[in-house]
Amino acid sequence: MFTGIIEELGTIVDFIFEGTSLCLKIEAHRVFLSDNRVDEQSSAEGEKSLQNGLKIGDSIAVNGVCLTVTRVKIDDGFDPSPYFEVTAVRETLEK
């Protein structure tokens, strides 16, 4: 449920047109945190883990438009920048 409360500002780091749709890759950090807090369980490397936050299928408001999360990536050891992807279909883009 969208509460209308802005919890984070993300950064669009990539986009690609897929037919008549637009896929956005948005870098963000807080949306991956459980209740927007770092999980107190630490990983083997001593870093706090990002768990139970944003998941595929979740709805998220992007610039006032409610979109469905299609992909999520948290720190995998290679690229430390967590991001999520959403797709805006033609009808959304036309409005």
Side-chain angles (χ1 to χ4, degrees):
M1 177 177 77
F2 180 61
T3 62
I5 298 171
I6 298 170
E7 296 183 15
E8 177 175 15
L9 294 176
T11 303
I12 296 174
V13 294
D14 197 10
F15 65 92
I16 186 168
F17 284 95
E18 298 174 339
T20 59
S21 299
L22 175 65
C23 178
L24 300 170
K25 179 178 175 180
I26 302 171
E27 186 176 295
H29 297 271
R30 290 176 45 91
V31 294
F32 293 101
L33 302 178
S34 176
D35 297 321
N36 291 325
R37 291 187 307 270
V38 173
D39 191 327
E40 293 304 318
Q41 295 181 5
S42 297
S43 66
E45 295 82 27
E47 297 177 1
K48 294 183 178 180
S49 60
L50 302 175
Q51 297 178 353
N52 303 319
L54 191 66
K55 296 180 259 335
I56 292 173
D58 285 353
S59 293
I60 190 163
V62 177
N63 203 27
V65 177
C66 188
L67 299 171
T68 302
V69 176
T70 58
R71 182 174 184 207
V72 296
K73 190 209 68 84
I74 59 173
D75 184 353
D76 58 8
F78 299 104
D79 180 3
S81 300
Y83 67 85
F84 64 93
E85 292 181 4
V86 293
T87 300
V89 296
R90 182 177 71 198
E91 183 175 351
T92 302
L93 295 172
E94 289 175 352
K95 295 203 182 241

